[in-house]
Amino acid sequence: MEKSPAVPMRRPPASAKSEQRIRDILRVARQVFSEAGFHAATTTEIAQRLGVSEATVFTYFGGKRELCVRVISDWYDEIIARVEDHLPHIHGARAQLHYLVHTHLRHLLAEGPGLCAFILSEGRARNDDFGEIYADLQRRYTAPLMRILAQGQADGDIRQDMPLRLLRSAVYGPMEHVLWDAMRRGAEVNVDVAATADQLVGFLWQALQPPRQDALALAQFRGEVQNALHRLQSSENSDGGTY
């Protein structure tokens, strides 16, 4: 049996009115999913907010899952397009990393904690509802960072003693903690995206840079001294000596 595509095919609207109807459904669906999450959200609620029948929603989307997949895919398409459009015009691994971090934080926080929580929680769930879809979207989404890291390694700006997948996690992990903390505190906090991006990149860049050669030489010398002392002490012990 031929496997169906992970993301449902988007039905071409028959008219400008249909196209506008699809945009309206997706706009309201994004709101509802952000507020309630996938399982608690209903197409009935979406239809009621639009002032249309539920059958109208099903005219354009096969069901809640297909609608949710489209909402998630559209969100990823928006941020991927923004990154892909601007990143080629930014030069240097550090500047590119800063742009990516700033864009990631701003895009997730701009529409409020609801959508941010929805995107992060559904992506982490790894359930049968969206696991395969998220895996493909995440690959597309993290591809620009992987290119930045790979080019940085080739240019000698980023350490080469760590695999790219671990460096990727080192970048996205702190950002996710910032986002979850902002959602947890809700109205109590107003995240300064620019300042937070500066602080994160300053911290990350220190970890991503190649170790200094003089520091490596010093560490190697210390290791050799410690090994020599250990051998000397072992020899003294075997000869009946004491520490």
Side-chain angles (χ1 to χ4, degrees):
M1 181 180 296
E2 185 175 313
K3 190 175 182 181
S4 60
V7 179
M9 296 294 292
R10 302 178 182 187
R11 302 175 186 176
S15 64
K17 182 178 179 180
S18 296
E19 187 175 354
Q20 183 60 52
R21 177 70 78 193
I22 290 173
R23 286 197 295 266
D24 291 341
I25 292 172
L26 289 171
R27 172 178 53 80
V28 173
R30 180 178 288 203
Q31 296 171 358
V32 173
F33 286 125
S34 298
E35 295 169 9
F38 173 68
H39 293 290
T42 66
T43 51
T44 300
E45 172 68 15
I46 294 169
Q48 288 176 345
R49 293 195 188 188
L50 278 168
V52 300
S53 68
E54 193 172 10
T56 299
V57 175
F58 291 145
T59 299
Y60 301 100
F61 299 94
K64 184 175 75 169
R65 182 184 185 279
E66 182 179 328
L67 182 55
C68 187
V69 167
R70 176 69 182 270
V71 168
I72 293 170
S73 299
D74 282 356
W75 183 89
Y76 271 96
D77 285 345
E78 290 167 13
I79 190 170
I80 290 169
R82 184 174 300 178
V83 170
E84 295 282 9
D85 287 346
H86 290 84
L87 207 55
H89 305 291
I90 302 171
H91 303 288
R94 193 183 193 283
Q96 290 181 331
L97 177 65
H98 186 279
Y99 174 76
L100 190 145
V101 169
H102 186 273
T103 302
H104 178 85
L105 294 176
R106 183 181 61 189
H107 197 72
L108 268 167
L109 291 170
E111 297 188 60
L115 182 65
C116 184
F118 173 65
I119 294 293
L120 292 178
S121 60
E122 292 298 337
R124 173 172 286 185
R126 294 290 185 266
N127 53 35
D128 292 337
D129 291 322
F130 305 111
E132 181 183 351
I133 295 162
Y134 260 109
D136 178 64
L137 291 171
Q138 285 287 352
R139 279 192 293 270
R140 289 177 51 215
Y141 179 58
T142 59
L145 174 62
M146 299 298 274
R147 291 197 296 270
I148 293 171
L149 296 173
Q151 187 61 52
Q153 286 185 334
D155 294 339
D157 296 327
I158 292 177
R159 60 191 308 159
Q160 300 178 2
D161 59 336
M162 298 284 284
L164 291 178
R165 59 181 180 80
L166 290 182
L167 295 179
R168 176 189 61 197
S169 298
V171 173
Y172 281 113
M175 288 196 289
E176 184 171 327
H177 280 288
V178 168
L179 294 168
W180 279 117
D181 184 60
M183 289 182 290
R184 179 181 60 81
R185 292 190 285 168
E188 299 175 12
V189 62
N190 183 19
V191 178
D192 186 333
V193 174
T196 302
D198 288 344
Q199 293 164 354
L200 271 178
V201 172
F203 165 75
L204 290 168
W205 192 248
Q206 290 294 323
L208 291 172
Q209 284 183 294
R212 290 170 46 191
Q213 293 303 312
D214 55 349
L216 286 175
L218 178 59
Q220 182 178 355
F221 174 71
R222 285 176 177 172
E224 291 172 352
V225 171
Q226 289 173 347
N227 288 335
L229 287 173
H230 179 72
R231 288 194 298 270
L232 177 61
Q233 291 166 349
S234 297
S235 176
E236 290 176 349
N237 288 340
S238 64
D239 293 338
T242 59
Y243 276 89

